[in-house]
Every structure is written in structure tokens, then in C-alpha cells.
Amino acid sequence: MRKISYLMAMAIVTLGFTACTDDNDNSSQQETNPDDQTAYTVKMVPVNRDGSNSGTVAIRFYEDMPSVPYISVADFQNIVVPGTTVNVTKTGGATYRLKNAGGTLIVNTIDETCAFDDFMGFTNQMGLVQAGMENAYYDGLPYVRFNRQTLSGGSAALTFDYSSYGINLRGEETMVYFPFATLADLYADLYGHNAACNGEKVVYDSKDENGNNGIGGLDSDFLMENLMKNKERKADMVAYNYAELCFTIDHFYGMPTGSDFEKSIQEKGLDKTLEANADGQIVKQLLLSANIDDYADGMCMLYAYLYDGGHTKIWYGKPSTTFAEKYPSLYSYYDERVTIVRNWTSAQIMNLTLPLREAFFGDKNTYHKKGNTAICHFDNFALNDNAAWNNYYQGKGPRPTVATSPEDPMAIFLDALEQAAADPEVKNFVLDLSVNTGGSSDVVVAMTSLMFDQSFFRAYNVLTGQKRTWYYDVDRNFDGKYDAQDQDVHYDLNFCIITSPVSFSCGNLYPSLCKDAGLLIAGQKSGGGSCAVGAHRTADGFYYQISSACARLSNANWENINDGITPHVTIDYIKDITVPYEGHDYTLYYYHNFWNLDNLSTIISEYYK
């Protein structure tokens, strides 16, 4: 950061800037961008990094976009990865070469383009999670650590063109400036690293510990309910917010095949997709409304248009009370795409499957056994007690168990697996994912390592066309160390995974990996969910997440797994019933046959004979 006077730090100072050119270099003069000479103000704002004061940073407000905060790429880089630098060289009147430890970026402020030689490398923040780590997928659980990434096909190089979105990139002799939200979207990753600026402060979340609140958990000004209090939106922010939202969806949405609008967005972008019909035009008008409540309704509809089962969540509220009356066609689509789909899953789990399972077995235990077959009811892969695991690996507490961490998936899995392995009668181990809606891939690779010595998974980068395989080390004996003894852990059991249409996300990735490895999948086709999640904030501060283009999960043949995993053996439902729930009638299914251990024993014996 450049030195700025005390008075400038205390007040907003209006500055004028004229680019320096070489009088003998006519080409340089011709390339000078008039935008780079626009007057601006500078404001020193505080930086909140993970809840702690981290100094101040210079934010610019240009005369033609007075509500939109800009920041230099170098300053942004130092916020997200402290101690690192971006070296900037002006190579022409409007061309700049930026270099950091991960790659090189060429910015042209006339063409409004930025060309990365290695996009994932330049924006990499995963060294904050594990030293030296590549820009890959890892949630940081202590019993798993990232090992390496292999790449094939495609190209690390990537060029973004902002000109058609009306987004201005600006520069001077030693600095290049992007709108803050534009840089935040470029740097957003699979871990959930996230940055936001409201013009008064910068907040950065590097720990992924605040759930959907994200930055709102660090600063309440960024909570939805507080952002909604600003009823009137500034015209320049409205236009930029829409442009940046379109750019992000066009480039960073992973197109997992769950949305009706994916093909159109791929072909012509979000804006032209909305313009294509009367309903879409209304949605665009709402997104461009100066009224915050209309804008919220537009975001609800964008949620419906991009809804892909659960990974994409554009808005964390419901349409306004008058929305259905004003826009019946839009509301009908929202109801069909979002409300009904989400409610069916909730109704199946809470109104039928869990109560039936408890009644079937006579208790709420996660482990049951009959004869040579044991079953583990495994309802999520979530990070439910990573604090207890971190304490254990830091020598501050015992290893989590179902007694001490009853909701933790790894504690549940190890309890069941170790009971089955210690029982000489048990030959078959069934993992019941019939109500599993996903969670952490760290848990997935730890489990596959224990079950069939595999701790990797595959993801296709839609942006770069690269096939990415991520390998991990697993502390297989959970003794707190990664050493040769981990290779001594083996479980000589016949494994079977039960899936249903509820099995989503990691509940879909896990059976895909197991099926690729030859393990038995039984039940009904899983519910899909094939992209990792990318966390973003709109330019005006609202949190949203999308299926990420950086990681569309794939099977061993590099096929998208979003359509779900077809079981080797189909297990029929006993019957279905109609249940009223949240204003709709839903067809729900009895899963009793999924828990019939005699039948499962026969199926497993036949498959592994």
C-alpha cells in the first residue's frame, strides 16, 4: 500500500489524475484510456479480517461511479493473503502486467480485459488452510490433508472480457484498480474465502466458520436483515451490481444440468436469457429496481431460474407477500422449482423416513446388526464437530465418539465400522445414505480410504477445461499422526451403500466413488448434486452461493454425476402415501425394504460371491 498523508487518512480527498506518457511514444499516447483520467476520491477504510482489526486500506470512488468502491489489485491481494505482493508493470498506455507468486495477469483498461496465464494459481488462497496447497478442494479437517493435484486437458490460461458488461477496469503508472466486488468474485474459491466492501469498511472471512452468514457473522452490517433496511439503491450501484451478477453467473456457475436456463446462459449469457421472454424481462426489471424489496423479489426468481437441487442458493428469503398477486406466472414457477422441491425432501426425511426408521429398529441408534450383516445409518457428511477433532489432534481432548459427539459423521462411521470389524459374526457392512443430504468431501475421502484404500476424487473445471484429480492423505488409524502405521489399517468386510432420491451432494459423490471402485450400490437412484459450492457476495453485500464452475464432480469416465448414481440392485419401496406439507401434497415413500437386513444379506452375498 502506498503511503498516504494523515489528513487523507482522516477524510475523503478529491483527486484528479492524468496518466503520464512518453511524448516520443505515439502508440502509448494513442492507447491511453480516458477512463483512467476520471477524477476520483480516496477513502481510507478499516479492514476487518476474521473479526480482527487489520489496519486500513485505500478505496477509490470514481466520479462516474460514485457509489461503487474500487481497490488496487495489490491492496486486495495483501488483504486476502497477507504478506504477499503483486508487482505491476505498465507495458503500454493502457496495458499492465501484474505478477504474484501464483501467476501473471495482463490487464488492458481500454479493452476491459484481464488475461491470466494461470487463473487458479493467481487467485489461490488455500495456503491459508494448508501451507503450499494448490487451489483445490479441502475443508481442513485434521484427519485429512491435501497431498497433490494432477491436471490433464484444457489450459490454465484464461481471459475475461468485461467490456460487454460495462465494467470498467482502471489504471495508472504503478497501480491497476478493479471494482472491489469484481476482484472478490475472481478470488472466491471452494473453501469459502470471501471478501466484501460497503464503501465504509472491508471485511474478509478466511476461516469458513460462519456458515451461510459468512461475512455477516463477522460484521452485522452484512447480515441480510440489515442490508434490507436500505430501501433505496443508488443508480450506479444498481447498474454495476446487475452487471457483476451477470458476469459471475455467466462465468462461475458450474452448469450442473439442474436448471432449465443453463443451456441458454451458456449460449448467450444471463442478461440475454432474461430478455428472451416476458417473464424474464420482468425479473431483469426487478433486479435493476432501485427499490430493495423489488430487488429481493428479482433475486428470489433468479434463485428459481438457477435452482439445481440445493448447491445454488441465490437468496435466503422468500418472495414478498404481494409477489404472487402481482406476478402469478413468476410465482408459480418459483413455487414449482424451489418450494415444492425443497419441501419434498424435508417432508420425506422428517415426516416419514426418520420416524419409520426409528419405529422399524425400535430406537434412534445409528448402528444395528442382525446375523452377518451390520448397518450404519449415515445421515450427513457435515462438519458437525470439527472443534472436537481439532482439539484431539492438538492434544487437548479425547478422540470424538458417538457418546461425546453424537452428531459427528466420522464419529458415527468409526463407531459402526469398528463394532462390525470386532464382531466375528459380521461379514457385511451396509452404509445407509437414504436421508443423506451431503456435507464435507474431507469426510468422503477419509471413508473411502478406510473402505477401499482410495483417497482422491475427480472434478472438471468448466472454466479452463482441465480435468483435476485431487489426492489426500488420511490418518487411517486416527492416532493423530500421518505415518507408516496408517497403511496397516484394513477392514475385511463386504460393503454395500444404500441410496435414495434424497441422497444429495456428498451423498451423491460418495456412492459414485464407491461404484467406480466396485462396491455394491443398492436402493434407488441417488438425488444428484455434482458441483462444489462457490461462495459470493453481490456488489451491494448480499451473500449467495452457486454450483461452482471450478469443480464439477465426475466419475471415473469423467462424466458429470449430477443425474444421480444408478444402483447395481434396485430395492423397491413398500408403498407410497400422499402427505400434506407446507400447502402442497407430496408423494412420500416407505423405505422399510432398505433396512431389511435379511434381504440385504442375500443381496450382498449374491453380489460378492
Side-chain angles (χ1 to χ4, degrees), residues 289-575:
S289 173
N291 180 274
I292 194 71
D293 296 317
D294 288 342
Y295 168 64
D297 282 340
M299 292 292 276
C300 283
M301 281 309 304
L302 187 59
Y303 183 11
Y305 284 177
L306 296 181
Y307 188 79
D308 52 24
H311 282 163
T312 297
K313 298 178 182 178
I314 297 292
W315 197 250
Y316 288 80
K318 295 181 179 179
S320 62
T321 55
T322 60
F323 186 76
E325 181 181 351
K326 289 192 294 186
Y327 310 110
S329 176
L330 291 177
Y331 184 79
S332 176
Y333 188 85
Y334 177 90
D335 203 35
E336 178 184 348
R337 288 293 296 160
V338 178
T339 307
I340 290 177
V341 175
R342 288 192 307 184
N343 285 355
W344 178 85
T345 300
S346 297
Q348 178 67 55
I349 294 173
M350 304 307 298
N351 288 36
L352 194 62
T353 305
L354 290 182
L356 285 175
R357 192 174 79 190
E358 181 180 350
F360 185 92
F361 288 102
D363 56 47
K364 293 184 178 180
N365 294 339
T366 54
Y367 177 81
H368 294 97
K369 172 216 163 181
K370 183 177 182 183
N372 69 352
T373 303
I375 189 169
C376 173
H377 308 297
F378 197 76
D379 297 342
N380 65 75
F381 291 87
L383 303 174
N384 283 334
D385 207 349
N386 53 328
W389 282 107
N390 285 328
N391 286 337
Y392 169 60
Y393 274 80
Q394 293 166 13
K396 299 177 182 178
R399 194 187 93 176
T401 65
V402 289
T404 61
S405 300
E407 303 297 323
D408 183 79
M410 187 51 65
I412 291 170
F413 177 70
L414 288 176
D415 170 77
L417 187 61
E418 290 169 356
Q419 283 194 64
D423 188 334
E425 189 178 16
V426 173
K427 305 298 181 187
N428 307 318
F429 185 85
V430 179
L431 203 67
D432 172 21
L433 306 185
S434 57
V435 297
N436 193 302
T437 55
S440 171
S441 61
D442 290 7
V443 181
V444 169
V445 295
M447 291 170 60
T448 58
S449 177
L450 292 173
M451 293 171 65
F452 50 90
D453 296 333
Q454 177 179 301
S455 52
F456 67 85
F457 63 98
R458 306 169 185 86
Y460 177 70
N461 189 328
V462 180
L463 277 169
T464 66
Q466 292 172 304
K467 297 175 180 178
R468 313 170 75 187
T469 303
W470 294 318
Y471 295 84
Y472 303 82
D473 299 322
V474 177
D475 179 19
R476 291 159 55 89
N477 59 9
F478 291 83
D479 66 350
K481 297 176 291 185
Y482 293 90
D483 53 28
Q485 281 67 52
D486 292 323
Q487 302 311 310
D488 296 334
V489 178
H490 297 284
Y491 293 94
D492 187 19
L493 296 164
N494 297 318
F495 291 104
C496 172
I497 293 86
I498 301 291
T499 59
S500 81
V502 173
S503 309
F504 181 78
S505 190
C506 282
N508 186 59
L509 170 63
Y510 177 76
S512 173
L513 293 169
C514 290
K515 188 174 184 180
D516 285 341
L519 273 62
L520 170 63
I521 313 298
Q524 297 283 325
K525 190 176 185 179
S526 60
S530 68
C531 281
V533 172
H536 295 265
R537 281 196 174 256
T538 62
D540 50 6
F542 290 94
Y543 175 86
Y544 68 102
Q545 66 181 52
I546 53 177
S547 290
S548 175
C550 294
R552 191 166 67 193
L553 307 177
S554 307
N555 64 17
N557 296 319
W558 291 102
E559 297 165 332
N560 183 3
I561 62 173
N562 196 64
D563 287 342
I565 308 307
T566 302
H568 296 102
V569 178
T570 298
I571 301 177
D572 292 329
Y573 305 117
I574 288 181
K575 64 176 180 177

Side-chain angles (χ1 to χ4, degrees), residues 203-218:
V203 185
Y204 177 70
D205 178 15
S206 73
K207 295 183 179 178
D208 193 31
E209 293 178 351
N210 297 294
N212 290 342
N213 282 338
I215 286 170
L218 301 173

Side-chain angles (χ1 to χ4, degrees), residues 189-205:
D189 62 12
L190 306 179
Y191 186 77
H193 292 126
N194 216 223
C197 176
N198 62 2
E200 300 294 328
K201 65 187 81 171
V202 169
V203 185
Y204 177 70
D205 178 15

Side-chain angles (χ1 to χ4, degrees), residues 266-287:
Q266 282 181 296
E267 292 175 350
K268 56 189 178 183
L270 176 61
D271 181 61
K272 287 185 172 58
T273 294
L274 294 178
E275 287 281 5
N277 61 68
D279 278 353
Q281 291 167 19
I282 294 173
V283 174
K284 178 177 177 178
Q285 291 171 10
L286 292 171
L287 291 172

